Amino acid sequence: MFLPYSPPPTLRFLACLAVLALAPASPRLTAADGSKFAHSDGDARFLHQIHLYDANNRRIEPDSTTPYSSLNTCGRCHDYETISHGWHFNAFLPESADGREGEPWIWTDPRTGTQLPLSYRGWKQTFDPRKIGIDQWAMVRQFGGRLPGGGLGHAPEPDDSQAGADAEDETAAEPSEADVTASRWPLSGSLEIDCLACHGVSGSYDFNARREQIADENFAWAATAALKIATIDGQVSRIKEGSDPEDEATQEKLPKVSYDASRFATDGTVFVDLVRQPQNNACYQCHSNRTVDASGIQPRWTHDEDVHLRAGMACIDCHRNGIDHHIVRAYPGEAHPSGKDMVTLSCAGCHLGADFVDELHQASDDEPAPQTYATDQLAGRLGSPHPAHAGLPPLHFEKLSCTACHGGPLPRDQALGIMTSLAHSLGEKGHRTGTELPRIAGPVYAKGDDGRVYPHRVVWPAYWASLVDGKLQPLDPDAVYETTRRALRVRSDFTSELLSPKLGSSELKEVLGEERYRAKPEEWTEEEAEKVEAATKTAGEQLFGEKISAAITALEEELGVAQAVYVSGGFVYANGDEEETVKKIEVDDVDSIDMVRWPMAHNVRPAGWSLGISGCVECHSDTGKIFASTVTAIGPGPDQGEPVAMFTLQGIDADQRLTWNELFTGRASFKIIIATSITVLSITLLLAAGIWVGRLGRA
């Protein structure tokens, strides 16, 4: 009987090569770079009419009941091991090259008011899942729908020695929670790299079918479902915790595959419709964004999208990669793992050329610029125009990134809400209002590591934690839910159910009176609506205190936490001095509650929509958005922080900024005064010259 568990990728890969070595001899090509894998080296698409193989390296036939394995199928001709360390596949690999900070994995649970930023990369103000107690299987279950697979998506190698010791020791203790979770791998199988998630022709691959399988814990079956060559019957998630994978009854419950026989040719091969260069639709699955304002999610038809896309470019024109799959991220100063200089795939490098970037690097860092290839010195790649930047002092290029003026949504007085594919599952069917967790805001103009100002997205973490010696340690979100669900009694949404509870008849009677409390909300007067809103807020604050207090008590009692707290919007809530109340407390561990930010670039706006296009005072004024717009800490809890102005995030002194603005505000008047003075002086000089010439003539 098939079990989806298989050895680690390296062992399986070597086994795969061994099978090929024992196969009947056939001519094999060696690529120019010395790779043992054959290359076509042509620009034409290679025909993939191929045999499929399962995790046990058995050929898939029309009557097979096991899912196909990309490692054993694609890995026959492509360097799976090298590919598995590329940027998209190493997100869960701690030893990978970090590069510039990006969007963290935000573990969101609306039932407990959790939006917890996680990362294995050690990025600032994010939390390492391993230190919280979140194992790799839980991370794959939570975020696998937005992962192409590989990395920690592969089941770990079983500890045979420990398994033997447990078998011999009849008095061994009951399996721990970690052991129980580990037992899910032989059931779910590995989430291998799904090559077709990126390389499948648009329309031939069903991303949502893949996500549904991962949500059902059918990791090994996800790629087969997405390719639409078979139907999957069964859900690993319905197999109870602690079930023995070796038990025949358990094996009978594993998902079964029914292949579409019409997809197989007479020789048993299957046509896989794919392309070498991924199409934009594949990128959008994980890299879409929506902005949210006071009226809700802004509709797509009002957006102009990215200026490069509207010009006919594709994502991969800038975000390129070789067989190592180290995607060029194209940010300034990127050190590409290949060692090649990718400067002309950045904004400034593409439009202005590598020489300009080198000069800028030397001016800002006072260090020699890195060596560039001769072909990388030219500007105007892919027909990019050379920006004039007429009248713009060079100082701006030292202080501002290109995206500060050209990237992201146009700034308003207050930062907008932002929804992303990774955080809000954009691309999946559903009804969104824009208020869903996590609450992400942007653009927020703050300094990057290189000292230049970049637009950022930001989120304030919200989570349950233990407080020890002033330090916050987040608790495992799954354990929090199981422990607090009776105390919180939240069905689906923490914020709406606790902070905006529906008022009962007695409460409405007290607010609206005997005669009006039965009136429908649409019949309320403006004054009555305000009274109901105020009463709802008061009831919500009281309910929030009661529920949070009860949940904190449950965590302390059941998980053995000395002091449990809840974090939201930059505030820390602990049990109050009175029963069923909470209070806000101060902690020294500010980094654990403050905003988490990461740079954003897209969508790129054209020159006519860039900041400063209407003149200096667009930015250098008291209302200049890049300095004066604000962002407010917001979370699932009832309290919001004070608005934070962008200039404070840039380290600019308020008095200095006001003085600077006054100089620019008066520039127009100053120019008029200077022009008038020059005109008057010129007329005076002309009159004097005329008088002098006249006197000479009379003489």
Side-chain angles (χ1 to χ4, degrees):
M1 181 63 65
F2 168 75
L3 283 177
Y5 179 82
S6 53
T10 304
L11 295 179
R12 285 184 287 167
F13 186 67
L14 293 175
C16 180
L17 292 179
V19 171
L20 291 176
L22 295 174
S26 60
R28 292 185 61 81
L29 300 177
T30 300
D33 62 359
S35 168
K36 56 183 171 292
F37 297 95
H39 289 190
S40 70
D41 294 321
D43 292 333
R45 289 167 57 184
F46 192 84
L47 177 64
H48 283 75
Q49 186 80 33
I50 58 176
H51 288 288
L52 305 180
Y53 294 84
D54 67 16
N56 295 317
N57 211 26
R58 295 179 303 202
R59 182 179 292 181
I60 299 289
E61 304 291 347
D63 58 352
S64 298
T65 59
T66 56
Y68 91 91
S69 162
S70 57
L71 187 151
N72 290 329
T73 300
C74 305
R76 275 173 152 70
C77 298
H78 301 280
D79 193 346
Y80 186 99
E81 186 67 19
T82 297
I83 293 169
S84 67
H85 289 82
W87 180 254
H88 279 101
F89 315 106
N90 64 12
F92 286 1
L93 297 179
E95 70 277 7
S96 61
D98 294 344
R100 188 175 76 170
E101 295 178 347
E103 181 174 353
W105 300 103
I106 306 177
W107 186 296
T108 304
D109 189 345
R111 302 167 300 181
T112 58
T114 297
Q115 50 185 41
L116 181 61
L118 304 170
S119 176
Y120 290 96
R121 301 182 187 275
W123 287 337
K124 289 180 295 188
Q125 296 176 261
T126 61
F127 299 97
D128 189 325
R130 296 167 296 178
K131 295 180 180 179
I132 298 174
I134 304 175
D135 64 17
Q136 69 182 73
W137 187 89
M139 287 291 288
V140 174
R141 180 202 61 195
Q142 186 79 2
F143 301 109
R146 302 291 164 171
L147 284 172
L152 291 189
H154 284 283
E157 186 175 5
D159 189 342
D160 294 330
S161 61
Q162 183 62 41
D166 290 343
E168 294 174 4
D169 184 8
E170 297 180 358
T171 62
E174 290 293 321
S176 65
E177 290 185 15
D179 295 331
V180 172
T181 302
S183 72
R184 306 299 289 178
W185 279 115
L187 301 174
S188 66
S190 294
L191 189 68
E192 298 176 347
I193 293 175
D194 192 348
C195 306
L196 299 180
C198 294
H199 293 282
V201 171
S202 181
S204 69
Y205 186 91
D206 191 337
F207 289 90
N208 282 322
R210 179 177 187 269
R211 293 174 189 137
E212 289 169 1
Q213 292 296 317
I214 294 171
D216 290 336
E217 301 179 9
N218 298 352
F219 298 169
W221 291 265
T224 303
L227 197 54
K228 308 300 286 186
I229 58 175
T231 57
I232 312 297
D233 182 24
Q235 300 172 327
V236 171
S237 60
R238 292 183 175 273
I239 302 176
K240 66 180 182 179
E241 295 285 355
S243 296
D244 182 4
E246 301 292 338
D247 186 82
E248 186 174 342
T250 301
Q251 294 182 14
E252 285 297 325
K253 296 177 183 178
L254 290 174
K256 302 297 186 296
V257 181
S258 298
Y259 284 96
D260 180 358
S262 66
R263 297 292 298 271
F264 291 79
T266 54
D267 61 354
T269 59
V270 174
F271 171 63
V272 183
D273 197 5
L274 53 78
V275 289
R276 177 181 293 107
Q277 296 180 327
Q279 298 171 319
N280 287 353
N281 186 63
C283 304
Y284 293 153
Q285 298 296 326
C286 297
H287 299 286
S288 293
N289 301 287
R290 283 289 164 269
T291 50
V292 182
D293 58 17
S295 61
I297 302 173
Q298 296 182 343
R300 283 174 296 187
W301 65 271
T302 63
H303 288 255
D304 288 343
E305 297 182 343
D306 190 285
V307 65
H308 301 96
L309 298 178
R310 299 302 295 175
M313 293 178 65
C315 303
I316 51 91
D317 287 333
C318 297
H319 301 289
R320 307 180 183 186
N321 66 272
I323 190 61
D324 57 12
H325 281 62
H326 286 302
I327 310 294
V328 175
R329 297 175 66 195
Y331 59 84
E334 177 180 13
H336 196 264
S338 68
K340 296 181 183 294
D341 189 359
M342 297 297 169
V343 64
T344 55
L345 291 178
S346 66
C347 302
C350 184
H351 287 270
L352 297 170
D355 288 336
F356 173 85
V357 178
D358 293 346
E359 293 173 7
L360 185 61
H361 177 86
Q362 291 174 332
S364 60
D365 296 340
D366 196 25
E367 296 178 1
Q371 284 287 55
T372 57
Y373 296 91
T375 54
D376 286 344
Q377 295 292 331
L378 302 177
R381 295 191 73 163
L382 302 174
S384 63
H386 189 287
H389 289 132
L392 189 67
L395 178 67
H396 288 74
F397 299 111
E398 298 176 20
K399 300 294 184 181
L400 301 172
S401 65
C402 299
T403 52
C405 296
H406 293 274
L410 274 171
R412 275 66 159 183
D413 291 333
Q414 296 179 337
L416 292 163
I418 295 181
M419 305 185 80
T420 73
S421 292
L422 293 182
H424 298 94
S425 300
L426 302 185
E428 298 177 25
K429 291 186 294 184
H431 298 281
R432 300 176 180 85
T433 63
T435 61
E436 290 82 4
L437 300 182
R439 304 285 180 81
I440 298 175
V444 171
Y445 294 95
K447 282 188 177 181
D449 292 336
D450 60 1
R452 297 185 181 91
V453 174
Y454 291 82
H456 291 75
R457 298 188 185 98
V458 302
V459 65
W460 272 263
Y463 56 91
W464 302 80
S466 63
L467 181 60
V468 180
D469 297 330
K471 291 289 185 180
L472 291 164
Q473 176 60 35
L475 300 172
D476 179 2
D478 278 342
V480 166
Y481 170 68
E482 292 298 329
T483 305
T484 64
R485 61 179 180 174
R486 291 185 181 86
L488 291 175
R489 294 189 179 279
V490 172
R491 292 186 177 182
S492 59
D493 185 66
F494 176 97
T495 302
S496 62
E497 294 177 39
L498 296 191
L499 300 183
S500 301
K502 186 176 181 180
L503 299 181
S505 298
S506 59
E507 294 166 312
L508 286 173
K509 186 184 295 185
E510 185 177 344
V511 174
L512 300 176
E514 184 73 34
E515 297 181 358
R516 293 287 296 166
Y517 82 95
R518 288 198 177 111
K520 296 179 180 179
E522 56 268 23
E523 297 174 354
W524 293 340
T525 66
E526 185 175 339
E527 182 181 359
E528 289 173 335
E530 291 176 355
K531 288 182 178 181
V532 172
E533 183 180 355
T536 300
K537 181 179 179 181
T538 301
E541 291 174 351
Q542 180 179 347
L543 183 61
F544 177 83
E546 294 173 359
K547 296 294 187 180
I548 298 300
S549 176
I552 287 175
T553 301
L555 291 172
E556 292 175 346
E557 292 178 352
E558 298 184 33
L559 298 184
V561 177
Q563 183 178 8
V565 294
Y566 175 62
V567 175
S568 174
F571 296 99
V572 180
Y573 300 89
N575 263 334
D577 300 326
E578 298 180 6
E579 197 172 338
E580 296 187 341
T581 63
V582 292
K583 62 181 179 182
K584 288 179 282 188
I585 61 174
E586 294 185 1
V587 296
D588 297 330
D589 193 6
V590 177
D591 284 347
S592 294
I593 65 175
D594 204 359
M595 73 162 72
V596 179
R597 65 192 188 203
W598 59 97
M600 63 187 298
H602 301 288
N603 291 333
V604 176
R605 305 189 305 275
W609 281 45
S610 62
L611 294 182
I613 192 65
S614 60
C616 301
V617 293
E618 182 179 346
C619 296
H620 295 295
S621 66
D622 292 346
T623 58
K625 301 295 187 292
I626 194 171
F627 300 118
S629 60
T630 62
V631 62
T632 303
I634 186 172
D639 298 296
Q640 296 183 9
E642 293 295 324
V644 178
M646 302 299 166
F647 69 85
T648 63
L649 299 176
Q650 300 162 21
I652 299 176
D653 180 74
D655 293 334
Q656 181 185 11
R657 175 176 170 269
L658 291 175
T659 303
W660 188 249
N661 289 344
E662 289 175 1
L663 291 175
F664 275 92
T665 303
R667 285 186 69 188
S669 301
F670 182 72
K671 289 179 180 179
I672 294 174
I673 294 172
I674 293 297
T676 303
S677 300
I678 293 174
T679 302
V680 171
L681 180 61
S682 300
I683 293 173
T684 302
L685 290 174
L686 287 173
L687 289 175
I691 293 173
W692 183 71
V693 171
R695 287 177 178 177
L696 288 177
R698 286 195 297 272

